[in-house]
């Protein structure tokens, strides 16, 4: 399995977009990656926008981004909560500085905006936050998936197949 020795953080807070969390998590696990669900609290059940639950493996304070090869930021309303935690912003900044794989889909761009890493980057997101992305200095385009180095971005749930593949491909080559 090509991702057998890879570890990924999947960030979670209430009202995450159910498919945008679960689809990439399951896809990466199928390829052998260890994916840890990480939220403000460990062993807490978080509920997605459509009622699908997930239990966190770890709290933000329990992990170190140095131990991981990538990070997934799902969309939904969760990113608006996640970007308020300095630990989350530090995780994203660390991944960016180390050129580790960063995946963001839909409203997850808000987290990257708050981390201050989008200046001059090519990205996509839900069109609903297009202005936010551009105001943060990003070059936004309306495409299913945009890859800019180690940052993999996608618009919405119908883009999950090419997004998860692009994330897994990049992770495999790091």
């Amino acid at each position: 399995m090509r991702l057998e020795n890879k570890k990924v953080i999947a960030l979670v807070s209430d009202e995450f977009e159910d498919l945008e969390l679960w689809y990439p998590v399951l896809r990466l696990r199928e390829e052998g990656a260890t994916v840890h669900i990480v939220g403000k609290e460990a062993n807490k059940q978080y509920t997605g926008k459509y009622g699908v639950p997930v239990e966190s493996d770890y709290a933000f304070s329990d992990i170190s981004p140095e131990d991981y090869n990538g990070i997934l930021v799902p969309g939904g309303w969760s990113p608006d909560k996640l970007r308020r935690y300095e630990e989350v912003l530090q995780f994203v900044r660390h991944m960016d500085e180390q050129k580790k794989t960063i995946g963001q889909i839909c409203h997850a761009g808000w987290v990257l905006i708050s981390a201050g890493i989008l200046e001059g980057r090519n990205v996509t997101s839900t069109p609903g936050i297009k202005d936010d992305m551009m105001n943060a200095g990003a070059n936004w385009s309306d495409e299913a998936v945009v890859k800019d180095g180690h940052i993999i971005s996608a618009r919405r749930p119908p883009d999950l197949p090419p997004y998860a593949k692009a994330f897994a491909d990049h992770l495999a080559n790091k």
Side-chain angles (χ1 to χ4, degrees):
M1 293 211 246
R2 71 180 180 147
L3 301 179
E4 188 172 13
N5 296 313
K6 304 295 183 175
K7 288 177 64 179
V8 176
I9 299 165
L11 296 173
V12 69
S13 184
D14 281 323
E15 298 188 80
F16 61 89
E17 165 46 68
D18 308 59
L19 285 173
E20 292 171 4
L21 173 71
W22 281 112
Y23 188 107
V25 165
L26 295 173
R27 173 80 171 76
L28 294 172
R29 287 177 176 168
E30 283 177 344
E31 291 211 41
T34 299
V35 182
H36 291 141
I37 308 296
V38 182
K40 180 173 176 12
E41 298 176 48
N43 305 309
K44 178 183 179 201
Q45 182 171 301
Y46 293 89
T47 305
K49 281 175 47 179
Y50 302 106
V52 177
V54 66
E55 185 172 313
S56 58
D57 299 307
Y58 296 105
F60 302 141
S61 60
D62 295 337
I63 65 163
S64 173
E66 290 86 12
D67 298 332
Y68 291 86
N69 306 98
I71 190 166
L72 286 168
V73 188
W77 305 125
S78 172
D80 191 36
K81 297 174 177 102
L82 290 170
R83 67 182 176 164
R84 300 172 196 202
Y85 298 106
E86 187 55 36
E87 300 101 324
V88 168
L89 302 181
Q90 289 173 2
F91 295 162
V92 172
R93 288 182 196 120
H94 172 82
M95 295 294 177
D96 186 50
E97 290 164 6
Q98 299 299 310
K99 307 284 188 254
K100 294 182 179 183
T101 312
I102 298 172
Q104 69 95 29
I105 184 167
C106 201
H107 286 84
W110 279 337
V111 175
L112 279 64
I113 289 168
S114 292
I117 67 164
L118 289 183
E119 181 71 37
R121 297 286 177 67
N122 299 309
V123 294
T124 193
S125 66
T126 178
I129 66 165
K130 170 187 172 183
D131 292 344
D132 301 328
M133 302 289 274
M134 292 173 63
N135 288 335
N139 303 310
W140 188 90
S141 59
D142 189 10
E143 296 177 48
V145 175
V146 173
K147 296 178 274 187
D148 188 336
H150 59 286
I151 299 176
I152 316 299
S153 58
R155 295 175 302 196
R156 54 180 82 84
D159 303 327
L160 281 163
Y163 167 69
K165 180 179 182 334
F167 187 93
D169 289 348
H170 189 273
L171 192 63
N173 293 317
K174 292 305 283 176

